[in-house]
Amino acid sequence: MSATGTHELFPSPLRGGGRGGGGAEGTTEPRSAPPPPPAPPRKGEERGRTPSEAGYNFAYLDEGTKRMIRRAILKAIAVPGYQVPFASREMPMPYGWGTGGVQVTAAVLGRADVLKVIDQGADDTTNAVSIRRFFARTSGVATTTRTTEATIIQTRHRIPETPLREGQILVYQVPIPEPLRFLEPRETETRQLHALAEYGSMHVKLYEDISRHGHIATTYAYPVEVAGRYVMDPSPTPKFDNPKMDHSPALQLFGAGRERRIYAVPPYTSVRSLDFEDHPFRVQRFEHPCALCGAEGVYLDEMLLDDAGRRMFVCSDTDHCEGRRADGHVGTGEAV
Amino acid sequence: MLAPGFADPVHDAQGTFRAVMDALARPGLPQRLEAGLNPPAPLTPELAAIALALTDADTPVWLDAGLAAVPEVAAYLRFHTGAPLTDSPAQAAFALIRDPARCPPLARFAQGTPAYPDTATTLVFALDALTSGEGLRLTGPGIDGTARIALAPQPDSFVAQLAANRSGFPLGLDLILTAPGRVAGLPRSTAVTEGRA
């Protein structure tokens, strides 16, 4: 398979999409007359199976790589919160685009799975669309945007608002898996600190937040202690999502491609956000409900509407918002 | 003639892995494992499926005395996995145990190191039966409250050895328990006590 073919599998928006490039070499799409346009898929119903791409193994990775990743996943589950090193592969996408999550998903994925991919809560952003399409083309599995239909949800930086259930797998894309990295840059040292469960420096960092700002000012990648032992980076999810990780019925897998680490939180496992008795962990609250669906108690994105600084707050989880609107919930639709 | 491996290497390996992953993520809750293999006795289809799905040239495999005594077993595993066989439990990434009653003390297998606890051995046991809802009492990550599982046969001083295994956390062994058509997990994070009715 030529390099061009590989890029075609995963068109980079930085290259202008790769698809509109006017018959790129090595394209694997048939060149015949374009088929009649299919009926536009309704949201949440793009479950049609795509034939998997000829020439690629199921879900892109070779079987030896999958075995290696699978062994790392099993050890990660056995030692919750511990970062298992793995031989991360080059993927047809740049580091930082979710190569760790993609490799974990590829190792776990089976023909019967239904895959959902979100990026900051949204199913329709570039990263989510291209990863979903990547797996649809290389594995032929069904994809969905509905949290309730998915068996595997790959996520960049959010946990869906809809509570997850037993049997679902949440795969996180992780940029920097080491929670102590900004306190101690040497891997040899952080590995020792984890071995000794020496997490004093993390508490000092949170304390310094309090002494400077009067409260713990860390709002994302908020450190957690897993099963009473390892301190873990929950990936850059807003701390709003930390409580959802605690005793979740779903299996949570974390993949960091550039940093070559896999870690996991099994279902029904305690995930405690670090805090102090007199400064207990709190999540952020929003003053307004979602402007589109009126939801409260969900994580909202701030949308700037014009140069005058008018803003609107809407659900970050697009599937949750669409589901509520389909059920008849309506927000004010107004800027604040 | 050498017995064949997976009929569908990609999807059979994936199915076996998912069963084992779900088993370790939910300790004490047996998962279905349809091996579809007919390996040379005394290797069981479940032991063979897990070996074919997870081992390769990177993973030294230790065989218990009953398996090691039959050259066809070693030939089958070598051909289908390429995994090197080792005589030393402490060198093994995976250990296949056909006769749990004669398993060496768990402490003789690789326990991992404080910096790299993932280097511990994964033990795969072949049992006659796994029954959930009775027997040993399990608590820990992956378990909503308490889980119970009965092993038949249950190795001698098994609970005491598992307690010692748990006390060394994050070091320790991870156990995959198989019975015909089923697989259950006992990772090192699980606390095991004798179940009383």
Side-chain angles (χ1 to χ4, degrees):
Chain A
M1 186 57 70
S2 71
T4 317
T6 310
H7 278 283
E8 275 297 299
L9 251 187
F10 212 112
S12 161
L14 302 177
R15 293 169 56 231
R19 191 119 301 263
E25 292 171 49
T27 178
T28 42
E29 295 276 287
R31 299 288 184 82
S32 53
R42 281 190 292 151
K43 264 287 185 186
E45 292 199 348
E46 56 171 88
R47 291 196 50 174
R49 284 170 185 272
T50 322
S52 59
E53 202 76 13
Y56 286 95
N57 191 23
F58 179 81
Y60 184 79
L61 291 177
D62 63 276
E63 290 302 299
T65 298
K66 286 187 197 169
R67 262 197 306 277
M68 172 271 295
I69 295 173
R70 287 167 179 169
R71 291 193 296 260
I73 290 172
L74 297 184
K75 287 302 178 194
I77 289 170
V79 191
Y82 164 71
Q83 301 163 48
V84 183
F86 81 110
S88 178
R89 299 295 196 240
E90 294 263 345
M91 298 300 286
M93 60 193 295
Y95 287 134
W97 282 63
T99 53
V102 166
Q103 290 179 79
V104 169
T105 298
V108 170
L109 194 69
R111 276 185 295 207
D113 279 310
V114 180
L115 179 68
K116 169 181 164 86
V117 185
I118 53 173
D119 170 7
Q120 308 268 19
D123 293 276
D124 54 2
T125 49
T126 307
N127 199 222
V129 169
S130 52
I131 291 172
R132 193 163 60 233
R133 187 161 161 277
F134 172 75
F135 281 114
R137 291 184 65 182
T138 57
S139 73
V141 300
T143 60
T144 184
T145 59
R146 292 200 177 137
T147 301
T148 50
E149 288 177 358
T151 56
I152 299 176
I153 303 171
Q154 182 171 329
T155 176
R156 175 174 172 271
H157 312 351
R158 271 312 308 281
I159 300 174
E161 304 289 359
T162 309
L164 301 180
R165 55 177 157 74
E166 280 188 11
Q168 286 183 314
I169 301 169
L170 189 58
V171 178
Y172 295 76
Q173 302 170 200
V174 181
I176 299 172
E178 178 49 72
L180 304 170
R181 183 60 69 234
F182 292 106
L183 306 171
E184 170 51 67
R186 290 168 295 180
E187 169 68 15
T188 47
E189 292 302 309
T190 52
R191 205 148 264 281
Q192 282 304 314
L193 294 174
H194 283 293
L196 300 168
E198 173 49 70
Y199 297 120
S201 59
M202 185 58 88
H203 282 102
V204 171
K205 178 202 179 276
L206 297 176
Y207 170 74
E208 284 179 347
D209 266 10
I210 294 171
S211 63
R212 265 188 219 150
H213 307 290
H215 62 278
I216 298 176
T218 305
T219 54
Y220 67 95
Y222 191 104
V224 295
E225 179 197 74
V226 180
R229 177 57 176 81
Y230 282 95
V231 165
M232 183 187 95
D233 180 355
S235 86
T237 51
K239 70 176 178 179
F240 181 89
D241 284 339
N242 277 19
K244 295 177 191 160
M245 306 179 87
D246 183 35
H247 285 90
S248 169
L251 170 62
Q252 302 174 75
L253 302 175
F254 299 76
R258 179 181 44 210
E259 302 289 325
R260 302 185 157 85
R261 297 290 183 272
I262 287 172
Y263 52 103
V265 176
Y268 305 114
T269 298
S270 106
V271 177
R272 187 177 68 82
S273 301
L274 300 183
D275 62 357
F276 299 96
E277 280 176 17
D278 51 344
H279 285 272
F281 173 78
R282 286 202 190 90
V283 298
Q284 54 266 65
R285 300 207 172 278
F286 295 90
E287 291 173 23
H288 307 279
C290 169
L292 299 177
C293 76
E296 296 185 37
V298 298
Y299 194 76
L300 301 178
D301 284 342
E302 178 182 2
M303 316 286 282
L304 281 173
L305 298 178
D306 57 24
D307 290 346
R310 288 200 317 136
R311 302 171 302 160
M312 185 185 263
F313 287 90
V314 299
C315 283
S316 139
D317 184 336
T318 54
D319 170 61
H320 184 73
C321 196
E322 279 160 13
R324 280 179 53 85
R325 279 181 280 157
D327 290 344
H329 296 278
V330 184
T332 60
E334 288 178 3
V336 295
Chain B
M1 203 179 81
L2 201 64
F6 285 132
D8 184 343
V10 171
H11 296 101
D12 289 353
Q14 189 273 338
T16 302
F17 160 72
R18 273 289 275 276
V20 171
M21 183 183 82
D22 289 343
L24 282 169
R26 303 295 310 280
L29 192 67
Q31 310 287 326
R32 281 163 57 98
L33 175 59
E34 309 217 359
L37 294 173
N38 194 12
L43 191 62
T44 68
E46 291 76 24
L47 287 184
I50 290 170
L52 265 58
L54 293 174
T55 67
D56 56 29
D58 292 337
T59 55
V61 173
W62 182 88
L63 303 178
D64 77 353
L67 293 171
V70 181
E72 287 79 12
V73 169
Y76 178 86
L77 292 173
R78 278 209 180 93
F79 179 81
H80 288 298
T81 70
L85 300 178
T86 177
D87 295 331
S88 161
Q91 299 293 320
F94 286 85
L96 305 185
I97 294 148
R98 177 67 184 87
D99 184 359
R102 291 199 281 168
C103 179
L106 296 185
R108 287 183 51 198
F109 293 94
Q111 309 289 315
T113 64
Y116 293 94
D118 55 298
T119 51
T121 306
T122 304
L123 273 64
V124 191
F125 283 86
L127 304 172
D128 296 336
L130 287 168
T131 316
S132 58
E134 57 184 83
L136 302 176
R137 218 173 261 282
L138 316 180
T139 55
I143 302 170
D144 189 12
T146 308
R148 301 193 66 177
I149 189 164
L151 320 183
Q154 182 173 314
D156 289 341
S157 69
F158 196 55
V159 172
Q161 290 198 65
L162 289 177
N165 190 48
R166 176 68 185 83
S167 68
F169 189 88
L171 305 190
L173 309 173
D174 305 309
L175 275 57
I176 299 170
L177 311 174
T178 70
R182 311 186 91 187
V183 59
L186 274 185
R188 67 190 85 174
S189 58
T190 302
V192 181
T193 53
E194 294 281 4
R196 307 203 197 290

